[in-house]
């Protein structure tokens, strides 16, 4: 890993709103969240259902919008009032300027996003079914695959004591390892969303305060179909705590003390693409503002439930005043 001298961060400044943004950035009311992750342009086709293999299906509408698991989680946390900084690498050949402008519109500090003039950004091709809101995604990493440990080390001023550092697996593992080592050095909490599913090195798992993944990803990683067995196996692999998201069924929290299922709010799902990212970002926001873990999980579920009840990914993510009254203010 790259060697770096760590200093406590100065307060993060909210970036100015981009011209023409549909909403003003959420007022900063909570703690600090630092996201290391992907920045993509999402290309989304909506149809009545998902096509069968080999089938051509006429769609209903098409949308292009900023995305990437990292950017999505950063937006979810910022919408709820967290101070959010983002570390990534964006290709500027196509869409790069628009992706950075979208972060600015949400008040996200993107000063540590490396701009690569010779590369394309990540692209996600997404199909969404009107019936049930289910989705299928093909992800091409583009410039995200070039994020290095050195890029992360250069973001050292954005790591701070008491903050929450979040990463996903759409950027290279060495960059995440560097980030979590730096987080440990300053006493920050670490959250790894192990998606898309792939083998995670034991050294990285040992640096995870929280490991979050859905039941499909958990089954792929462990070979165990039962969520309880998969959660226990993942917990035994090194992280301090595991959160297994179960869609409409809620969340399974696994710790050394117990396995605890938590029920999700019941909603009519319109579009589930951003559910996981909304949950992770809101959960990180809750931890950063000092909520107890169970309360942070409930905040994540409340935000995700509202997000899936309307179309889109980032545009569907709720603001603080849209949540139930018990979550209307930071802890």
């Amino acid at each position: 890993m790259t060697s770096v001298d760590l200093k406590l961060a100065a307060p993060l400044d909210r970036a100015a709103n981009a011209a023409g943004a549909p909403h003003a950035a959420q007022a900063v009311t909570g703690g600090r969240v630092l996201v290391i992750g992907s920045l993509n342009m999402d290309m989304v086709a909506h149809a009545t259902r998902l096509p069968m293999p080999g089938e051509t299906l006429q769609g209903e509408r098409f949308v292009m919008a900023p995305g990437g698991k990292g950017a999505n989680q950063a937006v979810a946390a910022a919408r709820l009032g967290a101070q959010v900084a983002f570390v990534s690498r964006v290709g500027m050949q196509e869409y790069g300027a628009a992706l950075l402008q979208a972060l600015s519109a949400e008040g996200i500090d993107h000063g540590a996003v490396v701009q690569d003039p010779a590369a394309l950004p990540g692209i996600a091709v997404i199909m969404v079914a009107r019936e049930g809101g289910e989705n299928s995604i093909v992800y091409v990493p583009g410039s995200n695959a070039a994020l290095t440990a050195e890029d992360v080390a250069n973001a050292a001023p954005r790591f701070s004591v008491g903050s929450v550092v979040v990463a996903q697996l759409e950027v290279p593992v060495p960059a995440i390892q560097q980030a979590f080592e730096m987080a440990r050095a300053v006493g920050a909490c670490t959250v790894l969303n192990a998606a898309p599913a792939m083998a995670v090195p034991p050294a990285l798992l040992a640096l995870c305060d929280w490991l979050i993944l859905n039941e499909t990803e958990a089954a792929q990683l462990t070979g165990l179909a039962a969520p309880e067995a998969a959660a226990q196996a993942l917990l035994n692999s090194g992280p301090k705590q595991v959160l297994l998201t179960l869609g409409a069924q809620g969340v399974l929290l696994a710790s050394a003390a117990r396995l605890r299922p938590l029920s999700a709010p019941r909603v009519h799902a319109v579009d589930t693409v951003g559910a996981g990212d909304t949950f992770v970002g809101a959960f990180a926001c809750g931890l950063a503002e000092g909520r107890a873990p169970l309360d942070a999980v409930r905040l994540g579920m409340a935000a995700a439930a509202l997000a899936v009840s309307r179309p889109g990914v980032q545009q569907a993510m709720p603001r603080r005043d849209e949540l139930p009254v018990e979550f209307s203010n930071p802890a």
Side-chain angles (χ1 to χ4, degrees):
M1 294 298 112
T2 302
S3 176
V4 60
D5 292 328
L6 293 171
K7 299 179 181 178
L8 299 189
L12 300 177
D13 292 329
R14 278 290 192 180
N17 254 11
H23 298 284
Q26 171 73 36
V28 178
T29 56
R32 299 181 185 190
V33 175
L34 175 62
V35 180
I36 292 84
S38 54
L39 183 58
N40 302 338
M41 183 60 78
D42 288 349
M43 300 182 178
V44 188
H46 293 259
T48 56
R49 57 177 175 83
L50 298 182
M52 301 291 289
E55 178 186 16
T56 299
L57 183 67
Q58 181 171 316
E60 297 178 330
R61 60 193 177 92
F62 174 80
V63 177
M64 286 179 56
K69 294 190 71 63
N72 291 344
Q73 292 170 17
V75 169
R79 289 271 177 96
L80 298 180
Q83 291 186 78
V84 181
F86 190 54
V87 180
S88 187
R89 179 177 280 265
V90 62
M92 300 301 289
Q93 280 197 2
E94 296 284 347
Y95 312 122
L99 293 173
L100 293 175
Q101 184 183 47
L103 294 174
S104 292
E106 299 292 345
I108 295 170
D109 170 12
H110 58 75
V113 174
V114 179
Q115 299 180 36
D116 187 342
L120 288 167
I123 298 293
V125 179
I126 304 170
M127 294 179 290
V128 180
R130 172 160 49 87
E131 299 167 1
E134 292 302 317
N135 65 84
S136 180
I137 303 172
V138 175
Y139 166 62
V140 181
S143 53
N144 295 304
L147 185 69
T148 66
E150 184 178 2
D151 294 333
V152 174
N154 290 336
R158 289 169 170 81
F159 286 76
S160 63
V161 64
S163 64
V164 177
V165 177
V166 182
Q168 326 75 35
L169 297 178
E170 287 186 342
V171 295
V173 166
I176 301 171
Q177 180 88 19
Q178 176 72 35
F180 280 19
E181 289 179 359
M182 293 168 68
R184 275 280 190 269
V186 298
C189 174
T190 56
V191 176
L192 177 63
N193 178 209
M198 64 181 70
V200 182
L204 179 56
L205 289 172
L207 292 170
C208 295
D209 292 310
W210 293 92
L211 178 67
I212 305 177
L213 62 175
N214 65 33
E215 56 185 323
T216 301
E217 294 155 351
Q220 290 174 332
L221 288 177
T222 65
L224 300 170
E228 295 81 2
Q232 188 62 59
L234 290 164
L235 185 65
N236 294 341
S237 69
K240 291 182 179 179
Q241 288 129 142
V242 173
L243 285 174
L244 206 60
T245 60
L246 307 173
Q249 302 305 310
V251 173
L252 181 63
L253 191 161
S255 67
R258 63 183 294 191
L259 294 178
R260 179 166 183 169
L262 297 166
S263 298
R266 293 195 175 275
V267 295
H268 173 67
V270 171
D271 186 343
T272 63
V273 174
D277 291 339
T278 303
F279 173 82
V280 173
F283 172 72
C285 177
L287 291 180
E289 64 189 30
R291 290 181 181 270
L294 282 178
D295 199 24
V297 170
R298 292 187 178 101
L299 174 62
M301 289 194 295
L306 187 53
V308 302
S309 70
R310 48 201 188 189
V313 180
Q314 290 184 12
Q315 58 267 46
M317 292 173 174
R319 299 177 187 275
R320 200 82 190 208
D321 59 6
E322 297 180 278
L323 295 181
V325 64
E326 62 265 35
F327 302 117
S328 60
N329 294 301

